Amino acid sequence: MKLEVKNLTTGYGDTKIIENLNLTIPEGKVTALIGANGCGKSTLLKTICRIIRPMDGDVLLDGKSIGSYGSRELAKKVAILPQNPTAPGEITVRELVMYGRAPHQGSLFARTTKEDKEIVEWALKETELLQFADRGITNMSGGQRQRAWIAMAIAQNTDILFLDEPTSFLDVSHQMDVLHLVEHLNKTYNKTIVMVIHELNEAARFADNLVAMKNGKIQYEGTPHTIFHNEMLKDVFGVDSTIMNDPKTDRPFCIPYSTKNYSHTAREV
């Protein structure tokens, strides 16, 4: 399923954050949008998945404007996990994941089918949540809740999955759990995944394609091996870095240093 951004201008109200941007998302790959705070990466993601309406230009899904799809039709093709989602009331993990089947049901009050139940069980299994399926979502750890939301998203059974900062506010162990799950969904089921992520080394480790943004523009795009270098990190993030190669993953990683020169003078007391 081909996803293209054509001459896109978008923002909030009358304020333009992104102007005349073009991008093609590689099919069956993990793409990470990276950049400093305020660079436009979340705005781009929200516009691509139709949370924000473009001011100009378009987003094309299989050659068709994403704005021309009906909501139910689009939800059968793309799934979205926004930042900091909240569950409706006191529901169990299984009930939350079942919400992912809504686009495939005839109406709000449609009966749950055998296929719905099988896909929900599959989503719970893939996210390693079967043993917690009947637990209240509010009684889960942060990492478990995030996996439950991902389970709901993959229960939509779409080819494309959008994740907006899926590791925010998680400790390093739960960050790895979520990103290994993302990797598994891509490698095993060939899902196209687009995610906004702040951790640079995690982006380089888990993404096949990096899109580095600055001031609403794409400054660099390519594989981690081709664009994850000191010039990019200094230009986009304002840091000098030592770049090394992880012998276990064969992916680059960085040790960043601030470019600011703080001079400290003694103060008499």
Side-chain angles (χ1 to χ4, degrees):
M1 186 165 289
K2 193 172 185 180
L3 185 60
E4 301 172 280
V5 178
K6 296 287 189 181
N7 304 316
L8 183 70
T9 296
T10 187
Y12 304 92
D14 296 327
T15 303
K16 295 178 181 178
I17 306 297
I18 293 169
E19 291 191 65
N20 199 33
L21 184 145
N22 292 278
L23 175 66
T24 298
I25 301 297
E27 294 180 66
K29 303 291 184 182
V30 178
T31 293
L33 307 180
I34 61 174
N37 289 341
C39 71
K41 55 188 183 295
S42 285
T43 302
L44 175 59
L45 185 80
K46 290 173 182 177
T47 307
I48 292 176
C49 57
R50 214 172 72 172
I51 294 174
I52 298 175
R53 184 188 297 271
M55 296 175 176
D56 200 4
D58 209 348
V59 178
L60 304 179
L61 183 61
D62 274 351
K64 179 180 175 181
S65 173
I66 201 167
S68 66
Y69 285 89
S71 296
R72 187 180 295 272
E73 182 185 11
L74 183 62
K76 292 178 181 179
K77 297 179 181 295
V78 302
I80 306 159
L81 178 59
Q83 293 183 44
N84 307 319
T86 55
E90 292 292 327
I91 63 172
T92 67
V93 172
R94 180 179 276 107
E95 289 169 337
L96 177 68
V97 177
M98 186 60 75
Y99 277 103
R101 299 303 302 155
H104 302 272
Q105 297 171 338
S107 69
L108 181 63
F109 303 104
R111 295 184 63 181
T112 301
T113 66
K114 180 182 178 182
E115 182 183 14
D116 291 333
K117 293 177 181 178
E118 288 175 347
I119 290 177
V120 167
E121 291 303 302
W122 165 79
L124 290 167
K125 181 179 179 181
E126 290 298 321
T127 53
E128 299 183 350
L129 289 172
L130 275 175
Q131 62 181 316
F132 305 111
D134 297 315
R135 182 179 295 185
I137 189 69
T138 57
N139 297 322
M140 307 285 282
S141 70
Q144 290 168 337
R145 280 198 301 271
Q146 194 70 328
R147 281 191 282 136
W149 284 106
I150 293 175
M152 186 192 76
I154 67 173
Q156 284 182 229
N157 201 25
T158 62
D159 291 328
I160 302 176
L161 178 61
F162 294 105
L163 305 171
D164 195 357
E165 299 187 28
T167 58
S168 291
F169 310 114
L170 299 181
D171 62 40
V172 66
S173 175
H174 287 123
Q175 288 177 23
M176 289 297 102
D177 285 347
V178 168
L179 290 170
H180 278 297
L181 173 58
V182 169
E183 182 180 52
H184 168 69
L185 293 170
N186 168 252
K187 302 302 182 189
T188 305
Y189 299 103
N190 199 39
K191 290 187 180 293
T192 299
I193 296 174
V194 184
M195 62 180 179
V196 170
I197 189 167
H198 280 291
E199 293 291 336
L200 295 177
N201 289 326
E202 292 178 358
R205 178 175 175 181
F206 289 96
D208 305 297
N209 185 54
L210 299 178
V211 177
M213 297 184 63
K214 180 180 179 182
N215 298 328
K217 300 183 183 300
I218 296 174
Q219 296 289 96
Y220 302 85
E221 181 188 359
T223 68
H225 284 295
T226 57
I227 76 158
F228 200 80
H229 46 64
N230 188 53
E231 179 184 351
M232 183 276 285
L233 294 170
K234 189 169 185 177
D235 181 19
V236 173
F237 296 95
V239 295
D240 281 316
S241 303
T242 297
I243 308 295
M244 304 176 72
N245 208 56
D246 186 338
K248 186 174 181 180
T249 63
D250 192 35
R251 293 292 185 101
F253 70 93
C254 69
I255 303 174
Y257 308 94
S258 174
T259 57
K260 292 182 173 62
N261 181 22
Y262 293 100
S263 58
H264 299 279
T265 56
R267 181 171 65 91
E268 292 185 3
V269 179

